Amino acid sequence: MKLTLSWLKDHLDTDASLDAIVDALTRIGLEVEGVEDPSAKLTGFTIARVLTAERHPQADKLQVLSVDAGDGPLQVVCGAPNARAGLVGVFGRPGAEVPANGMVLKVAAIRGVESNGMMCSTRELELGADHDGIIELPVDAPVGTAFADYAGLSDPVIDISITPNRQDCMGVRGIARDLAAAGLGTLKPLSVEAVAGDGPGPDVRTDDPVGCPAFYAQCVRGLTNGAAPEWMAKRLRAIGQKPISALVDITNYVSIDLGRPLHVYDAARLSGGLVARKAVAGEQVLALNGRTYTLDATMTVIADAAKVHDIGGIMGGEESGVSDTTTDVVIECAFFDPDTIARTGQKLALTSDARQRFERGVDPAFLDDGLAIATRLVLDLCGGTASGVTRSGQPPLAPRAYAYAPARSETLGGLAIVPERQSAILESLGFVVGKDWQVTAPTWRRDIDGPADLVEEVIRIEGLDKVPSVPLPRPAGVAIPTATPEQRIERRVRRAAAARGLDEAVTWSFIPEEQATAFGGAAWRVANPISELLKVMRPSLLPGLLSAAERNLRQGADGVRLFEIGRRYLDDDGQPKERATLGVVLAGDRRPRGWQTGKATPFDAFDAKAEALALLAAAGAPVENLQVMGEAGAAFHPGRSGTLRLGPKTVLAAFGTVHPAILKAFDLSGAVAAVELYLDAIPAKRGAGFMRAAYAPPALQPVRRDFAFLVPDAVTAEALTRAVKGADKAAIVRARVFDVFTGATVAEGHKSVAVEIVLQPGEKSFTDADLKAISDKVVAAAAKQGASLRG
């Protein structure tokens, strides 16, 4: 929401400085995003008179001017065809910066003749597109005056971020009301001159009491549509609006000034009366933005007997829009249901200033006054004769009153305020405060829905900065832990992932539908998506991480190591289920190229497995009992992926390289490794008291033995080591593969697998007989897997 300082002062009688106003706006919850002073770029440009104009001795198309800018004549070389003696224009002094191109003016010789600045065109000052000649001002323009002051451009523009609940501040007057309540002046009374009109009003009605409860309208006949007056056009330009014509600019001005959107129809282009109704499925309308929209039966439209002319409350139609030849108009002032407006705008992917206001909720009690103000502006600026007013339907005006206790400002808001001050604040904001503290909300405050909202109003106007910082009460003694076991697991794995060199990412919980399909499909859709591209809940964390990896690689990163802790959204017997998950994506180069290692090394499935095991260990999972099983799913590369499980059913993690088809969909190339850890599947630890057992290292040194087995290719290393380790659970504490060999000395269809086992003696050292017995058990256990001791 943008407004100028002078525009604000049309509604607020104040002597406060710009800085004080900006500070107060942010303090009361209307955050100022920026302040722009349009006069700043025109520093050094003044009004000047051309005294003489002579042909340049070295160029036929140049003239040498003698210019008076208030401090004596200066010589200026100018190429404008309209430069002549007696002309009053805008002169840029040496040192001024030309807004259009950033050039700093200086004294310079042009074709051998000294020039002390320049005479300017509208395009050079970014005041228009004309570049055929220099600006011509009235002959009585005050020479020597700063051009910004003369042109009224010394009016700062304030840009305010309006939160969705503050529909009343989508107009300048609502912002002025808040500032007046905050003590920065007095709200000026709103002048509304009723326009009785002659004869019957226009033929309008509403047949959609839900989407358009009230439809008011008035005609003006015999008008002349031209350019809006300069004061109105100047304000619209200052806030980024392009002046179009008086009729269009009036509706835009009233919408911004008072937060009351309206629409004007060219009566000559209508076939019969206007009706607000539900659209017929498949109807189309050519909107003012030049696009044709196909409507459905849930949308409210305004139509005549022949066609749809308006997507109700969002955008008017091209075929009934006003033009320079318009002489008769119908001015519409209607109330549209906010929910209907929001749903229609989302379906059509259509936004407008009117939609922003109607979907937040405009003042339902301001229809008559809004129509009267707009009609009076049309009569004053365009002439013509007004008809009577037609009122169809009834706006929702049911009062909303709430029992309020002044003590709640302290108990709920944390700031004690005397009741009289609270009453004054509420009344200054338009609330009606009864003697019994029944507080009635004004019609323009749709967001007020109970006593808590009244506390918010009182506190923000009194000053959030006055709320004291009070620590929460803490009981004596040692603080009781508040984190849940799930939260503690997330903290541990987050620290572990960061310690392993992974960068944490935070991605959207909703993703495009085609991305969800690649990971098994989405179980849940968003009813009110912020974008058509973000309308389903993610079934996996990997789509967001893959998109993030692609962005980083596209920006020049050599290697990307990302992790995220979040939720997957799955279906649990028809009910939404959130599952805590950790996702990891490793893309690009695992190790850069170098003179020692040669080419860069990409990530592979073993990198993903290493991350999965390390993070599961950090989470407290029994990694020594995990089994590597099967494929990780359709999103992973077959043969280069797997799952880590506790038993055949409990899957703790999926890991591997991502399927090439998935990588292509995300514009990724090369190998990309990924992991998903299912944190909610990790078994909870059994309670073992408050203290862990004292560390007691073994009294005797462990013994290591190596075995080389000839194993069929189909037997996995994991199956072999598990069998070996289980051969003597009391003595064997670890078993790992340290070598795999295939070659001429190994039978076809087999491989040589070397396994190291670690034996831990208990009360006494192993004897040779003990070691022989354990070795026999190991060989026997391996034999059950089809392995034989290699001779």
Side-chain angles (χ1 to χ4, degrees), residues 40 49 51 72 140 156 307 346 381 383 412 497 501 503 541 549 597 615 677 682 697 723 750 752 761 764 768:
R49 186 186 306 277
L51 302 176
D140 59 350
K307 63 184 68 174
Q346 289 163 5
L381 303 182
L412 187 59
D503 296 314
L541 271 63
T597 57
L615 296 175
L677 260 63
I682 298 174
H750 288 71
S752 175
K764 62 178 182 176
D768 289 343

Side-chain angles (χ1 to χ4, degrees), residues 106-122:
K106 58 184 178 181
V107 178
I110 301 177
R111 292 290 186 93
V113 177
E114 184 180 90
S115 180
N116 299 274
M118 69 180 293
M119 298 295 290
C120 304
S121 68
T122 56

Side-chain angles (χ1 to χ4, degrees), residues 15-213:
D15 295 326
S17 66
L18 174 63
D19 289 342
I21 290 173
V22 169
D23 290 344
L25 285 169
T26 299
R27 188 173 64 250
I28 62 178
L30 302 176
E31 182 181 358
V32 176
E33 293 199 338
V35 178
E36 178 186 354
D37 185 359
S39 66
K41 65 181 182 181
L42 296 176
T43 301
F45 295 90
T46 57
I47 298 175
R49 186 186 306 277
V50 179
L51 302 176
T52 63
E54 299 178 359
R55 189 176 67 83
H56 191 289
Q58 303 296 329
D60 293 339
K61 294 185 178 181
L62 297 178
Q63 296 187 74
V64 180
L65 310 180
S66 177
V67 174
D68 179 16
D71 51 3
L74 293 170
Q75 181 173 279
V76 177
V77 176
C78 181
N82 64 330
R84 63 188 183 277
L87 179 145
V88 178
V90 180
F91 170 65
R93 298 178 178 275
E97 182 178 318
V98 179
N101 55 25
M103 179 180 68
V104 178
L105 300 177
K106 58 184 178 181
V107 178
I110 301 177
R111 292 290 186 93
V113 177
E114 184 180 90
S115 180
N116 299 274
M118 69 180 293
M119 298 295 290
C120 304
S121 68
T122 56
R123 189 162 73 179
E124 287 163 340
L125 298 185
E126 293 186 334
L127 299 176
D130 184 16
H131 192 57
D132 294 334
I134 58 178
I135 296 173
E136 294 192 38
L137 301 176
V139 294
D140 59 350
V143 173
T145 302
F147 175 65
D149 294 338
Y150 171 79
L153 297 174
S154 301
D155 193 5
V157 178
I158 307 170
D159 186 4
I160 304 173
S161 176
I162 307 296
T163 53
N165 64 313
R166 294 304 308 278
Q167 68 281 348
D168 58 308
C169 289
M170 291 299 287
V172 178
R173 184 166 183 81
I175 295 170
R177 183 188 296 112
D178 264 21
L179 287 171
L184 261 74
T186 304
L187 184 68
K188 296 180 181 180
L190 182 63
S191 175
V192 181
E193 182 181 349
V195 180
D198 297 324
D203 179 11
V204 302
R205 72 179 191 276
T206 176
D207 290 347
D208 181 10
V210 175
C212 180

Side-chain angles (χ1 to χ4, degrees), residues 522-526 535-537 569-572 574-577:
W524 301 101
R525 291 176 172 272
V526 181
K535 63 182 182 181
V536 300
M537 304 303 291
Y569 299 88
L570 307 177
D571 188 298
D572 185 8
Q575 296 297 319
K577 183 69 173 181

Side-chain angles (χ1 to χ4, degrees), residues 192 254 258 260 262 331 333 365-375:
V192 181
V254 173
L258 302 171
R260 173 67 254 185
L262 305 115
I331 306 173
C333 185
F366 198 68
L367 273 71
D368 273 315
D369 287 351
L371 184 58
I373 290 169
T375 303

Side-chain angles (χ1 to χ4, degrees), residues 3 53 70 86 141 224 244 324 353 485 518 541 695 753:
L3 67 157
T224 301
I244 298 174
D324 292 342
D353 288 344
L541 271 63
Y695 176 62
V753 179

Side-chain angles (χ1 to χ4, degrees), residues 280-303:
V280 177
E283 276 189 307
Q284 293 186 327
V285 59
L286 175 61
L288 287 171
N289 62 2
R291 295 180 57 187
T292 299
Y293 294 91
T294 301
L295 312 172
D296 66 35
T298 67
M299 301 175 181
T300 299
V301 299
I302 296 178

